[in-house]
């Protein structure tokens, strides 16, 4: 996740106590800070009455004894980093497999640790291939490809008076076929056929100009719209080709024509050896004025995806099924959930496929693109129906650095609360850095608390190298103390502005610097967590602990 860097007017004055100007934190001496964060005797979870947690990964928890020992010692709660996300439990066919998540849950509860559920509805790490398959590759509403060239006779033939439209050829009855802008089924034009008295079917005949490639053994749906000045019947032909040679013609007679446009449909199974077909209309034999429009030949095996209300219902049901399947599996076991995660874009807009493009990723499915703002209320309602007692949270990032996003988030939280959807809390991720604005942190906590909902710091980490300097920045005492001071300030601000009854807890997003998503997934040169590579306590640990103690 990209984080905005906001430089406060005074940089972490609590670190130095008396410094009146900002120093170069990268070139300055390691003696920058007078306040030393060296007290590491505390056990974090013992310092507070609210939930104190860490994000943890099952592979490390189950194989790395040092990692798991820190988690067991310091955290009363854990949030699974990945194991409860959509693509971790939903299989390619839409079925569910909780084996890994259950193993992790059992490991945690055996150690006396509670689990926070993360996350039910998000746009990332989704089984997007399955959901896109449900809605026809993205819910565009486009159906199978029409193989007919100029099916609606919209484009008139150029350079000839014998044929009325591109893609079509008059076989018999020159002058009887004209392009018309009236009596259309759809679009701007249709084909008008002025059939004279006398003659036979073949005396007034028009066909697709090019042979249409098809696949032997497949069934194709042939359809068209037709009406006449008077009712009658007409005939059409399907002319198969075996390579260059013509096959036996399939005649379809007795097709009705009424005085209003009606659709005629016929399914044709392609015979063995046939590689192409041609469609011809035999319209002679009865004096009349006929109109034909919107001719179609499509692969019958391709079903048009849903659109409009049908698409909304399908996506809504898929979201409901996921929420209720997961929550019901852990009802009475997991007692708090991130129901919706990151509903807003960086521009404070409700996410959609435009502001949250997949950009080649295969795990992105933006639920609100299909369900709109109402997706949030539905998600909470479905979660509450599955667990009447669990705490249900809405979670997002950059709330401490974007006033616009914070205000959009708070507005939605208030809406959800007023609508009695079941929401009980809000989560602020707080992926901060050593330059994050104190004033904006204060403003965020005050606005979140004003919702009357519980408030969680859900994914706390603090980058000490926001400007991405090179070298072993994690060894700098100055940077470590600045980081410790920010951890200290975040916690103290939380305690100051969030009333005790509304404190949903604090979760640090990871254990050791080398395990952090910032140094692994983002591959940044940083050291954002409380423990170093050997799981030793850093000054950040001391700053965090002091904050929990109100110091």
């Amino acid at each position: 996740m990209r984080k905005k860097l906001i430089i406060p007017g005074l940089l972490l004055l609590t670190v130095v106590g008396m410094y009146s100007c900002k120093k170069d934190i990268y070139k300055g001496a390691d003696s920058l800070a007078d306040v030393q964060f060296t007290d590491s005797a505390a056990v974090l979870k013992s310092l507070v009455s609210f939930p104190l947690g860490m994000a943890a990964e099952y592979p490390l928890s189950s194989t790395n004894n040092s990692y798991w020992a820190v988690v067991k010692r310091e955290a009363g709660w854990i949030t699974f980093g990945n194991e409860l996300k959509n693509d971790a439990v939903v299989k390619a066919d839409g079925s569910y497999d909780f084996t890994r998540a259950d193993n992790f849950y059992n490991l945690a509860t055996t150690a006396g640790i509670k689990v926070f559920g993360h996350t039910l509805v998000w746009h990332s790490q989704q089984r997007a291939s399955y959901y896109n398959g449900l809605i026809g590759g993205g819910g565009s509403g486009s159906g199978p490809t029409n193989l007919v060239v100029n099916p609606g006779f919209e484009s008139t033939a150029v350079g000839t008076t014998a044929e009325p439209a591109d893609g079509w050829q008059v076989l018999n009855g020159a002058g009887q076929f004209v392009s018309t802008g009236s009596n259309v089924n759809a679009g701007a034009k249709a084909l008008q056929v002025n059939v004279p008295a006398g003659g036979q079917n073949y005396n007034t005949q028009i066909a697709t100009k090019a042979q249409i490639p098809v696949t032997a053994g497949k069934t194709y749906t042939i359809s068209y719209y037709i009406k006449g000045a008077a009712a009658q019947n007409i005939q059409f032909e399907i002319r198969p080709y075996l390579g260059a040679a013509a096959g036996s013609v399939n005649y379809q007679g007795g097709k009705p024509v009424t005085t209003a446009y009606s659709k005629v449909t016929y399914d044709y199974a392609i015979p063995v050896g046939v590689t192409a077909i041609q469609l011809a209309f035999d319209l002679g034999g009865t004096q009349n004025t006929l109109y034909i429009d919107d001719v179609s030949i499509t692969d019958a095996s391709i079903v048009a995806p849903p659109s409009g209300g049908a698409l909304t219902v399908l996506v809504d049901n898929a979201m409901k099924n996921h929420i209720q399947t997961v929550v019901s599996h852990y009802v009475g076991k997991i007692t708090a959930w991130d129901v919706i995660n990151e509903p807003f874009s960086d521009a404070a807009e409700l996410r959609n496929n435009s502001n949250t493009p997949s950009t080649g990723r295969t795990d992105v499915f933006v639920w609100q693109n299909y369900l709109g703002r109402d997706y949030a209320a539905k998600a909470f309602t479905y979660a509450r129906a599955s667990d009447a007692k669990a705490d249900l949270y809405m979670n997002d990032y950059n709330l401490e650095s974007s006033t616009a996003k914070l205000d959009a988030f708070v507005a939605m939280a208030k809406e959800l609360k007023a609508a009695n959807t079941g929401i009980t809390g809000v989560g602020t991720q707080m992926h901060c850095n050593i330059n994050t604005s104190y004033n904006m942190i204060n403003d965020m906590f005050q606005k979140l608390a004003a919702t009357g909902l519980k408030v969680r710091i859900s994914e706390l980490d603090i980058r000490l190298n926001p400007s991405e300097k090179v070298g072993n920045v994690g060894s700098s005492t100055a940077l470590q103390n600045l980081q410790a001071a920010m951890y200290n300030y975040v916690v103290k601000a939380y305690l100051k502005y969030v009333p005790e009854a509304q404190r949903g807890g604090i979760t640090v997003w990871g254990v050791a610097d080398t395990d952090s998503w910032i140094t692994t997934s983002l591959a940044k040169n940083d050291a954002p967590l409380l423990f170093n590579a050997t799981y030793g306590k850093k000054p950040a640990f001391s700053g965090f602990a002091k904050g929990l103690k109100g110091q």
Side-chain angles (χ1 to χ4, degrees):
M1 291 177 282
R2 292 170 292 179
K3 304 293 170 261
K4 299 178 181 177
L5 308 182
I6 297 180
I7 311 299
L10 297 176
L11 177 62
L12 307 177
L13 292 185
T14 54
V15 177
V16 298
M18 298 171 59
Y19 283 88
S20 60
C21 63
K22 176 181 174 185
K23 296 193 175 184
D24 186 334
I25 61 175
Y26 299 104
K27 296 181 180 178
D30 279 355
S31 60
L32 171 70
D34 292 333
V35 178
Q36 297 297 309
F37 294 96
T38 58
D39 179 10
S40 60
V43 174
L44 297 178
K45 64 185 178 183
S46 69
L47 301 178
V48 293
S49 58
F50 54 75
L52 194 288
M54 290 179 168
E57 306 286 344
Y58 183 61
L60 287 169
S61 299
S62 58
T63 63
N64 187 324
N65 292 334
S66 297
Y67 177 98
W68 189 235
V70 170
V71 175
K72 289 192 294 183
R73 184 184 70 236
E74 305 293 345
W77 290 67
I78 59 170
T79 299
F80 295 174
N82 294 296
E83 288 76 8
L84 277 172
K85 289 174 180 173
N86 183 284
D87 65 358
V89 295
V90 179
K91 298 169 66 175
D93 63 356
S95 62
Y96 283 77
D97 184 356
F98 290 101
T99 302
R100 188 180 183 90
D102 285 349
N103 288 341
F104 201 5
Y105 175 85
N106 292 334
L107 179 67
T109 54
T110 298
I113 300 173
K114 295 181 179 180
V115 175
F116 186 93
H118 178 78
T119 176
L120 296 175
V121 181
W122 190 26
H123 64 274
S124 186
Q125 290 184 250
Q126 306 295 289
R127 186 63 65 187
S129 59
Y130 170 69
Y131 297 116
N132 282 326
L134 286 180
I135 64 175
S140 64
S142 60
T145 301
N146 187 357
L147 303 178
V148 176
V149 175
N150 195 20
F153 305 95
E154 299 294 319
S155 176
T156 55
V158 177
T160 176
T161 58
E163 294 164 5
D166 292 324
W168 296 87
Q169 57 182 321
V170 174
L171 303 180
N172 292 300
Q176 297 176 30
F177 298 89
V178 296
S179 175
T180 179
S182 60
N183 291 293
V184 301
N185 177 64
K189 296 179 182 178
L191 176 67
Q192 179 177 322
V193 189
N194 302 310
V195 184
Q200 303 295 322
N201 282 344
Y202 57 81
N203 290 133
T204 303
Q205 207 173 39
I206 191 169
T208 53
K209 182 175 290 187
Q211 295 178 19
I212 297 171
V214 292
T215 302
K218 275 195 171 186
T219 297
Y220 289 78
T221 298
I222 298 170
S223 68
Y224 58 90
Y225 287 84
I226 191 167
K227 79 170 188 174
Q232 68 166 94
N233 292 327
I234 62 102
Q235 173 178 285
F236 67 81
E237 305 175 14
I238 304 169
R239 302 180 173 189
Y241 291 84
L242 295 85
S248 178
V249 176
N250 181 290
Y251 293 96
Q252 290 296 315
K255 298 304 178 183
V257 178
T258 64
T259 56
Y261 266 115
S262 59
K263 185 177 183 180
V264 177
T265 300
Y266 175 73
D267 285 342
Y268 176 65
I270 306 298
V272 174
V274 171
T275 59
I277 62 173
Q278 189 179 32
L279 178 65
F281 290 97
D282 302 338
L283 305 172
T286 301
Q287 184 176 11
N288 205 350
T289 302
L290 302 174
Y291 301 92
I292 299 178
D293 206 354
D294 301 317
V295 183
S296 176
I297 300 177
T298 60
D299 184 342
S301 66
I302 301 175
V303 179
S307 60
L311 175 62
T312 301
V313 169
L314 192 151
V315 176
D316 184 16
N317 286 338
M319 185 179 74
K320 178 180 181 180
N321 177 67
H322 178 68
I323 292 171
Q324 296 193 339
T325 299
V326 176
V327 175
S328 296
H329 186 81
Y330 291 104
V331 66
K333 297 179 179 179
I334 294 179
T335 59
W337 290 92
D338 279 330
V339 176
I340 60 173
N341 192 49
E342 301 178 5
F344 296 102
S345 71
D346 290 342
E349 301 169 335
L350 189 71
R351 289 187 184 275
N352 55 44
N353 287 349
S354 296
N355 61 29
T356 311
S358 61
T359 57
R361 290 175 54 182
T362 59
D363 66 340
V364 173
F365 187 83
V366 187
W367 297 89
Q368 51 269 53
N369 182 78
Y370 309 101
L371 301 178
R373 191 176 184 86
D374 194 38
Y375 98 109
K378 289 181 175 181
F380 278 98
T381 301
Y382 300 149
R384 178 56 71 217
S386 298
D387 193 328
K389 297 180 179 180
D391 273 332
L392 305 178
Y393 284 84
M394 178 172 65
N395 189 49
D396 216 326
Y397 67 91
N398 274 3
L399 304 183
E400 74 287 342
S401 61
S402 170
T403 300
K405 191 170 187 179
L406 172 63
D407 290 345
F409 181 85
V410 167
M412 177 173 277
K414 290 179 177 179
E415 289 175 17
L416 294 170
K417 181 183 178 185
N420 295 316
T421 61
I423 187 173
T424 58
V426 288
T428 172
Q429 293 181 12
M430 296 204 76
H431 295 291
C432 303
N433 64 74
I434 57 175
N435 291 330
T436 298
S437 165
Y438 282 4
N439 288 334
M440 295 188 76
I441 290 172
N442 297 343
D443 183 58
M444 176 193 68
F445 282 134
Q446 291 176 77
K447 287 182 177 179
L448 294 179
T451 65
L453 299 166
K454 290 185 178 180
V455 179
R456 292 182 67 239
I457 300 176
S458 57
E459 301 184 15
L460 179 62
D461 50 33
I462 297 173
R463 292 181 60 182
L464 54 68
N465 188 21
S467 296
E468 300 188 24
K469 300 294 183 178
V470 298
N472 186 13
V473 294
S475 65
S476 165
T477 299
L479 294 180
Q480 289 196 56
N481 282 339
L482 288 167
Q483 181 186 55
M486 181 57 77
Y487 268 111
N488 182 264
Y489 188 84
V490 166
V491 175
K492 288 195 295 186
Y494 178 75
L495 297 178
K496 178 178 180 180
Y497 294 112
V498 178
E500 184 175 0
Q502 290 178 248
R503 294 172 190 163
I506 301 175
T507 294
V508 178
W509 202 246
V511 180
D513 291 333
T514 47
D515 311 324
S516 168
W517 70 286
I518 294 172
T519 57
T520 56
S521 297
L522 297 185
K524 299 296 184 182
N525 177 26
D526 220 307
L529 294 173
L530 306 182
F531 296 86
N532 61 28
T534 59
Y535 301 99
K537 297 176 181 177
K538 295 166 50 183
F541 178 94
S542 176
F544 186 71
K546 284 179 177 290
L548 294 175
K549 291 185 284 188
Q551 299 175 356

